[in-house]
Amino acid sequence: MSLILAIESSCDETSVAVIENGSLIKSNIVASQIKSHMRFGGVVPEVASRHHVEQITQVIDHAVADAGLTSVDEVDAIAVTQGPGLVGALLVGLTAAKTLAFVHEKPLIPVNHLAGHIYASQLIEPLAFPLLALIASGGHTELVYMAQDGSFEVIGETQDDAVGEAYDKIGRMLELPYPAGKYMDQLAQEGVESYQIPRAMLHEDNLDFSFSGMKSAVMNLIHNARQRGDEIVPADLATSFQNAVVEVLVEKTVRALAEYPDVRQFVLAGGVAANSGLREGLKSRLATDYPDVAVLIPPLNLCGDNAAMIGAASHHLFEQGRFGDLSINAKPGMML
């Protein structure tokens, strides 16, 4: 049995969790900074770092108490996000984790943030290998093949913007609140597909993505309409864009499953996994085309950044004795 205290501070969420055996959430505290960044229309790294400094100690105390523990001495290890992410934000979490590991004489486990998103689903039900994961977030869009626990092979990735980044930029053009993704998703439920949005790289013979052109097409459409004095129907535009995005993500996923016939389970991961159109599109298509592949999509509270996913991802590292030392540093561009 393992009881791991995990820290996540890669962007604008300060989160600490206590996870048992990589699958049971004893506590998962998330302090959001959305209101602080909303007025800027996006995350300001310096502001994020300062908030992490202000909140980290309180969030640790809250997570320990919420787990029914009296001290960090009762956990077996300290896990922390090493990257990717904002370097200043990562350093706050790393400093806190190294301090706890040193003071309480606990092993330190550095964790890849993207691996955490995949392992978030392990908190719902066990992962079954080989599996295929689609990571869709504000900073990443990747198809990952996992032959076994802890093995990551990126078989497709975005060549430019991540899908969540495209959502936020278009949402800003439509004057939606930050983060715009969930508001775009809500709008998309109200409109009809009436605008032509290109499906970038849909027919190319690879598993890669491109969302920059799709984003630019929408932004040009908005600019041109405003210059002509034409009315833009936000709900219809959101529906048109979302349908295009979902079609590309679903088709590339289906193509990946065809290329990797040994896959037993498909995992949707990352902040954009909360998108209702994508969730339904993948579940419906895979149920039809690949009924023998189990589809695992985490609940909404585990799609965004949280420390529980870091604790889940650290379990196999703990079992293998893959620890870091107090010299580990942040890796803002860390790859899987």
Side-chain angles (χ1 to χ4, degrees), residues 11-301:
C11 190
D12 61 340
E13 312 283 3
T14 310
S15 183
V16 180
V18 176
I19 305 299
E20 183 178 307
N21 293 334
S23 59
L24 178 62
I25 300 175
K26 305 292 286 185
S27 66
N28 187 28
I29 308 303
V30 181
S32 175
Q33 302 177 12
I34 286 178
K35 290 183 179 179
S36 295
H37 298 285
M38 190 176 290
R39 65 183 183 275
F40 302 111
V43 177
V44 179
E46 177 64 20
V47 173
S49 300
R50 289 177 181 274
H51 277 301
H52 286 309
V53 171
E54 294 168 358
Q55 297 170 337
I56 189 69
T57 301
Q58 291 174 304
V59 176
I60 291 170
D61 290 343
H62 193 171
V64 169
D66 220 38
L69 307 178
T70 57
S71 168
V72 176
D73 283 328
E74 297 174 64
V75 305
D76 299 303
I78 309 296
V80 62
T81 301
Q82 185 177 19
L86 302 174
V87 63
L90 289 167
L91 285 171
V92 176
L94 276 166
T95 301
K98 289 194 284 188
T99 301
L100 290 176
F102 176 76
V103 171
H104 297 277
E105 299 181 339
K106 302 295 180 181
L108 180 64
I109 308 173
V111 177
N112 187 301
H113 178 81
L114 300 179
H117 275 304
I118 296 173
Y119 277 87
S121 288
Q122 185 172 271
L123 297 164
I124 307 306
E125 62 181 81
L127 299 184
F129 303 98
L131 67 76
L132 176 72
L134 171 61
I135 303 174
S137 69
H140 301 271
T141 309
E142 298 178 5
L143 280 165
V144 181
Y145 174 76
M146 295 182 65
Q148 58 190 6
D149 211 1
S151 169
F152 306 97
E153 179 186 354
V154 178
I155 60 175
E157 59 189 333
T158 182
Q159 299 302 297
D160 39 61
D161 289 356
V163 60
E165 180 183 1
Y167 263 97
D168 282 337
K169 288 179 178 177
I170 292 171
R172 193 176 307 147
M173 288 285 294
L174 294 175
E175 300 180 349
L176 297 176
Y178 169 84
K182 70 174 183 178
Y183 299 103
M184 285 278 288
D185 187 22
Q186 291 168 3
L187 269 182
Q189 312 312 311
E190 304 169 8
V192 295
E193 185 171 354
S194 57
Y195 297 97
Q196 295 297 314
I197 310 298
R199 271 65 168 165
M201 298 186 73
L202 181 60
H203 302 294
E204 293 194 16
D205 189 23
N206 57 50
L207 298 174
D208 292 332
F209 307 93
S210 172
F211 296 101
S212 179
M214 297 171 70
K215 172 204 69 182
S216 297
V218 175
M219 294 174 74
N220 288 336
L221 191 154
I222 295 171
H223 279 305
N224 293 338
R226 287 174 178 171
Q227 288 174 349
R228 293 192 303 265
D230 294 342
E231 180 186 2
I232 287 287
V233 181
D236 291 353
L237 186 58
T239 302
S240 302
F241 176 71
Q242 180 146 303
N243 287 354
V245 167
V246 170
E247 182 179 347
V248 170
L249 292 173
V250 170
E251 289 299 329
K252 292 283 186 171
T253 297
V254 169
R255 191 179 303 173
L257 288 170
E259 293 186 17
Y260 291 82
D262 61 339
V263 167
R264 298 172 55 201
Q265 188 179 66
F266 169 75
V267 173
L268 179 59
V272 182
N275 182 279
S276 62
L278 181 57
R279 294 167 78 94
E280 292 306 313
L282 283 166
K283 284 192 290 187
S284 175
R285 182 67 180 277
L286 268 57
T288 300
D289 290 11
Y290 291 93
D292 294 331
V293 175
V295 177
L296 194 50
I297 302 177
L300 299 184
N301 66 316

